Amino acid sequence: MKRKLRISYYAHHMGSGHLRHAQRLAATGLVELQVASTGTASRRLFEDNVQYVPLAADEGSSQLRFAPTSGHLHYAPTGKPIVERFTTLNAGWEAFEPDLVMVDVSVEVALFARLSGYRVALRRMPGVRTDRPHRMAYDLADALFAYYPQALEEPLHRDSYAQKSFYLGTPAPHPSQRSAPQSSGQIPVRDCGDTRRVVVQTSLAAAVDSSMLVQAAVRSPSWSWEVIGSVHGATDQLPENLRLHGTVEHPEQWLDAADVVISSSGHNAVAAAAASKRPTMLIPEERPHAEQAVFARMLHEAGGCAMLESWDEPVDWEKKLTHVAGTDGSALARTLLVTQDEFTAGLQRMFSSLCDS
């Protein structure tokens, strides 16, 4: 019997999205999987049959020294924590003997894997990524993979890297994966009353200031504003129609109960909004390489998803929310999500192209 492919997946520790993608790969059962990421806490996200490699942190230590790289790399400090991090990573690869290293996402790790002798698939993410380090990594990688459909890709990138790119999409959650409705009063249910509900979903390390939410709620008194996720700024003086709930256990239930969803444009936040099939408007938060802004525009241009450029954009909130409420709630799902079978088939095509040759 032919053995399963061995895939080592490097998951960046910023936000939760990179590790969630590793979980989706594990759920396919296609491969023997190793996951490497910062720290030990993420071990609990994976079943025992997934090998987890905890890496030393690459930031926050007084032992780190920063020297210029003349624009060749994004982040390359020196010092004992970096030596330990890459020693552990290489030892993990040597013991596991991967057929392919998937990097989500780091130019430096992709380069290190290639120089260590492994085939490399690097994640392609939205954003302005025409800088020297990205171009070098894209050129050196054996393949690029993206968690969105090819129709969303920027033409310039597609023209340059079509021959090595694999567009996997994001699998829609199976109905059994979405939490069962709960009867506790903490999670709202959609009703037909006069007050309509907008649910705002922010990203981890949110850049949304509470003053922007206050201003929007004050200017839309016929709407109830429910905010899930973190915000910045003072929260002691809020209008009656604005409630901040912080991080919640079952965000999908809040989204399902919305008349309108306003979401940041981080990949997993958008996927969650899409899965709710509620009318959605995207408002990107500030991120390196304009990642969220570019992703929101991609979805707007490809599928007509409503968006604002930022929370600072002048808006007639009553009019805007009423307009969004009348849009097709399934449009975002059709633009971004794929079936589990389609996602698995995309992975199989990439693995066959790289590992059977």
Side-chain angles (χ1 to χ4, degrees):
M1 180 182 295
K2 186 178 180 181
R3 71 167 177 84
K4 287 184 175 181
L5 293 175
R6 295 193 187 106
I7 303 298
S8 183
Y9 196 100
Y10 172 84
H12 199 281
H13 59 276
M14 288 297 291
S16 62
H18 308 285
L19 285 159
R20 290 187 188 180
H21 290 305
Q23 287 179 299
R24 293 184 182 109
L25 173 57
T28 67
L30 283 176
V31 300
E32 292 183 40
L33 183 62
Q34 177 189 72
V35 176
S37 192
T38 302
T40 59
S42 297
R43 161 73 266 189
R44 61 183 174 78
L45 299 176
F46 301 95
E47 302 291 338
D48 291 341
N49 63 344
V50 174
Q51 183 185 119
Y52 182 79
V53 181
L55 303 176
D58 61 357
E59 58 186 359
S61 171
S62 61
Q63 295 179 293
L64 295 179
R65 298 292 181 267
F66 295 87
T69 65
S70 301
H72 289 282
L73 298 171
H74 287 145
Y75 186 76
T78 61
K80 185 177 180 180
I82 303 302
V83 174
E84 291 179 352
R85 181 179 179 88
F86 281 96
T87 298
T88 301
L89 184 57
N90 198 43
W93 290 338
E94 186 176 6
F96 187 66
E97 297 183 339
D99 299 291
L100 177 70
V101 176
M102 296 179 68
V103 181
D104 179 9
V105 61
S106 164
V107 164
E108 293 75 25
V109 171
L111 179 60
F112 182 64
R114 182 61 184 268
L115 292 174
S116 298
Y118 299 100
R119 303 203 79 177
V120 175
L122 175 63
R123 182 180 172 189
R124 159 67 176 162
M125 294 181 66
V128 181
R129 301 181 188 272
T130 55
D131 55 278
R132 182 187 293 177
H134 273 113
R135 293 198 310 271
M136 175 188 65
Y138 289 167
D139 289 341
L140 289 176
D142 295 280
L144 304 174
F145 63 97
Y147 291 120
Y148 52 81
Q150 184 173 354
L152 271 64
E153 185 58 273
E154 297 172 88
L156 181 61
H157 179 90
R158 189 168 56 238
D159 292 345
S160 299
Y161 298 104
Q163 75 283 359
K164 63 164 66 177
S165 297
F166 296 84
Y167 295 91
L168 306 175
T170 298
H174 188 275
S176 64
Q177 295 174 315
R178 293 179 66 80
S179 304
Q182 301 198 1
S183 58
S184 78
Q186 295 181 345
I187 298 175
V189 295
R190 201 156 15 100
D191 57 40
C192 298
D194 293 335
T195 300
R196 292 172 292 178
R197 180 180 293 112
V198 54
V199 174
V200 179
Q201 174 184 228
T202 67
S203 295
L204 291 176
V208 179
D209 192 277
S210 60
S211 64
M212 298 289 101
L213 296 166
V214 168
Q215 186 177 87
V218 167
R219 294 179 177 178
S220 53
S222 69
W223 288 80
S224 170
W225 286 70
E226 313 287 347
V227 182
I228 57 175
S230 57
V231 299
H232 292 317
T235 59
D236 53 341
Q237 294 184 342
L238 303 179
E240 290 185 359
N241 65 330
L242 172 61
R243 286 170 287 277
L244 309 181
H245 301 279
T247 302
V248 298
E249 185 175 0
H250 297 293
E252 71 278 4
Q253 295 180 4
W254 292 83
L255 300 175
D256 289 350
D259 294 291
V260 166
V261 171
I262 295 177
S263 179
S264 74
S265 303
H267 189 280
N268 281 279
V270 173
S276 75
K277 296 187 177 179
R278 305 302 306 149
T280 297
M281 179 168 67
L282 302 178
I283 305 181
E285 299 176 13
E286 291 185 10
R287 289 294 186 275
H289 310 291
E291 175 189 322
Q292 290 201 12
V294 170
F295 194 38
R297 289 188 207 112
M298 290 164 65
L299 293 163
H300 173 71
E301 292 171 4
C305 181
M307 68 166 291
L308 298 178
E309 292 292 338
S310 74
W311 282 93
D312 293 323
E313 186 173 332
V315 175
D316 181 332
W317 279 104
E318 283 283 353
K319 184 177 180 179
K320 174 62 74 172
L321 292 174
T322 298
H323 169 74
V324 174
T327 61
D328 181 359
S330 297
L332 186 56
R334 288 196 301 271
T335 305
L336 178 65
L337 302 183
V338 298
T339 67
Q340 184 64 51
D341 287 345
E342 290 170 328
F343 179 70
T344 301
L347 285 167
Q348 288 176 317
R349 284 192 296 272
M350 180 173 72
F351 296 152
S352 295
S353 173
L354 295 174
C355 301
D356 292 346
S357 58

